[in-house]
Amino acid sequence: MRRLFALLAVLALVAAACGDDDAATTTTADDGDAVVMSPAEVVFEEQTSDGTTIVVDTITLPSPGFIAVHGNADGSPGPVIGHSQLLDAGTQSNVAVTLDQPLESSDLVFPMAHIDVNGNGEYEFFPPDTTIDGPAMTADGEVAVTGARVEVQG
């Protein structure tokens, strides 16, 4: 858990160090290609669910990527409990994400934008061992994540 937060903090510092808020931030893939990591945005509102899926209102990605849904860790993003299929760059609305670990009761969840850094179409962010598909960043250099309560109804 601490490694995840440390990684997110490092990514935020790198993005902030890049200077101009309007400039896109990039990272370098293993093949040497630059991958655009910002700007990204996630909009997610409080909703009612059966606990197996959530719907992200809108996601804007600068490059192809994913929505990773993090569980609640005392009001902050915790472990990943589900992720979307590969999404195209651009803005998409009403993106349903099936959770790998269904919510058993109402709680906060945190959808986070991730970029498919190596371009293989597979979600690969399982800290601390695998952190290839890193979090996307907002125009302000913050991790593109938001949280809202999901009311579980059976």
Side-chain angles (χ1 to χ4, degrees), residues 28-131:
T28 304
D30 289 343
D31 63 4
D33 288 345
V35 180
V36 180
M37 301 294 287
S38 74
E41 181 181 25
V42 179
V43 177
F44 177 68
E45 300 292 329
E46 186 173 301
Q47 59 192 255
T48 301
S49 167
D50 65 359
T52 63
T53 60
I54 64 158
V55 177
V56 174
D57 297 294
T58 60
I59 182 166
T60 302
L61 294 167
S63 301
F66 310 90
I67 298 169
V69 180
H70 292 258
N72 184 15
D74 297 323
S76 297
V80 174
I81 59 172
H83 62 83
S84 69
Q85 297 296 319
L86 182 66
L87 302 170
D88 292 332
T91 300
Q92 297 183 46
S93 299
N94 300 316
V95 179
V97 180
T98 300
L99 303 178
D100 298 328
Q101 301 172 0
L103 297 173
E104 295 180 8
S105 61
S106 300
D107 204 351
L108 292 173
V109 297
F110 297 86
M112 181 183 296
H114 281 250
I115 301 300
D116 185 18
V117 173
N118 62 3
N120 69 355
E122 295 179 25
Y123 177 77
E124 297 172 294
F125 189 82
F126 304 100
D129 301 322
T130 304
T131 58

